[in-house]
Amino acid sequence: MDIKDVRKLSTSQQKKLSKEELLRLITADPEETPLNISNDLIVMESRIIEKITQEIRNLVTLKFEELKADILDITKSQSFLADKYDVLYTENTALKATVVILEKKIGANMTAIDTIDQNERNNALLFSGIPSRVSENVNEIILNIASEMGIGMKLEDISQSFRLRSTASSKVSPILVKFNKRSLRNQLYAARKKSPTADKLGYSSTNTIYINESLTDYRRKLFAKCLTKKRTTTTNICGPRMVKFTSGKMKQQK
């Protein structure tokens, strides 16, 4: 069937044609389309186009609404994440400030503990370089050292004395002596350069006996670092040419 055959059909017969068939016949050959085609066909064609247009519009509108909803969800998610970030940033800043405060408090407490520990050591001296003997009398050794240095000292001047454990098997363990009088302790420390060698006390060794202050672990390490820098650098990083501890306090001498 072509467009000429459609002209021969009655209006009721034309209405029975499918939409697809009508569109095919109308668009097949425009020149063959009769000028007096039924108004119903024109109306039908218009309705078909309008319906297709509406369906396209509805589809676009639906997709647009879905896209709009997706964008809204993304916006809400971004806003939520931004709020969370602000909260976390604020909490992190507060935690950092707290850590700084706690570090300062810990530092102050450690300094206070070190000061207390050192104050308890200020009545003590360390004697190193003295060979160890079985069943030795440490108090007698210290009294003999004082005698060799020309300092009068009695047994009752010693509060406590004992050998410390050596950190290395090759080293002789030092002797820690606590005095009842700080004045006597200071007198021995001031005359430390007069300390005798071990053979003067009846030992076969000629070790030099060194008398040093009893320092806390922190102050001992600090003193060691200063001495190391002094020996290995031409510019003294510790400032003075000479660094020493007196009563647990580091002093600088030019």
Side-chain angles (χ1 to χ4, degrees):
M1 179 182 293
D2 54 22
I3 197 64
K4 293 179 181 180
D5 296 326
V6 174
R7 284 186 306 172
K8 298 177 182 180
L9 298 175
S10 63
T11 301
S12 60
Q13 291 176 327
Q14 290 178 1
K15 289 181 179 181
K16 293 181 180 179
L17 294 174
S18 65
K19 297 176 182 179
E20 293 78 6
E21 184 67 18
L22 287 173
L23 285 174
R24 185 185 67 77
L25 294 174
I26 292 171
T27 58
D29 189 357
E31 293 182 357
E32 292 296 329
T33 301
L35 297 178
N36 58 346
I37 191 169
S38 172
N39 290 333
D40 290 341
L41 288 177
I42 297 175
V43 172
M44 185 179 293
E45 178 184 1
S46 175
R47 289 177 178 175
I48 292 173
I49 295 174
E50 182 180 354
K51 184 175 181 180
I52 293 173
T53 303
Q54 186 61 41
E55 289 178 353
I56 294 173
R57 186 181 294 111
N58 293 340
L59 181 61
V60 171
T61 302
L62 177 61
K63 293 299 181 182
F64 175 78
E65 291 298 329
E66 291 178 354
L67 181 61
K68 183 178 178 181
D70 291 341
I71 294 174
L72 182 61
D73 289 340
I74 293 172
T75 303
K76 289 180 179 179
S77 297
Q78 289 179 337
S79 178
F80 174 78
L81 292 175
D83 292 340
K84 284 293 184 182
Y85 173 81
D86 292 339
V87 171
L88 291 175
Y89 178 81
T90 302
E91 291 178 350
N92 186 52
T93 302
L95 287 174
K96 285 183 177 180
T98 302
V99 169
V100 171
I101 294 173
L102 291 176
E103 286 179 343
K104 290 181 179 179
K105 288 183 177 180
I106 291 172
N109 290 337
M110 292 298 292
T111 301
I113 292 171
D114 180 78
T115 301
I116 294 171
D117 187 10
Q118 186 59 52
N119 287 339
E120 293 179 353
R121 294 170 179 263
N122 285 342
N123 279 3
L125 289 174
L126 277 176
F127 293 77
S128 58
I130 305 172
S132 178
R133 287 176 174 173
V134 179
S135 302
E136 63 185 0
N137 188 326
V138 178
N139 287 341
E140 185 178 344
I141 294 172
I142 301 303
L143 290 174
N144 290 336
I145 292 174
S147 178
E148 288 290 333
M149 295 170 64
I151 298 175
M153 183 175 169
K154 300 178 181 180
L155 182 61
E156 53 264 28
D157 292 326
I158 300 175
S159 171
Q160 190 178 12
S161 64
F162 52 88
R163 278 194 184 271
L164 301 176
R165 290 184 179 181
S166 177
T167 56
S169 57
S170 60
K171 291 185 179 181
V172 178
S173 301
I175 296 175
L176 177 67
V177 182
K178 294 182 179 181
F179 299 87
N180 288 320
K181 297 180 181 179
R182 184 172 294 187
S183 57
L184 178 60
R185 175 261 186 208
N186 291 343
Q187 186 180 358
L188 278 166
Y189 185 66
R192 62 188 178 280
K193 292 183 179 179
K194 298 180 182 180
S195 178
T197 54
D199 59 304
K200 296 291 181 65
L201 303 178
Y203 294 95
S204 59
S205 171
T206 57
N207 289 346
T208 298
I209 297 175
Y210 295 97
I211 302 175
N212 296 301
E213 290 205 355
S214 176
L215 300 175
T216 62
D217 185 59
Y218 167 75
R219 299 182 193 221
R220 185 172 62 255
K221 290 178 180 178
L222 177 61
F223 188 42
K225 286 181 180 179
C226 287
L227 293 179
T228 301
K229 289 294 182 181
K230 182 179 178 180
R231 297 190 191 101
T232 58
T233 59
T234 55
T235 302
N236 192 352
I237 194 170
C238 293
R241 293 177 59 190
M242 194 170 183
V243 179
K244 69 175 185 178
F245 272 84
T246 301
S247 298
K249 297 179 180 179
M250 188 171 71
K251 294 186 176 181
Q252 303 174 344
Q253 295 180 342
K254 293 184 180 180

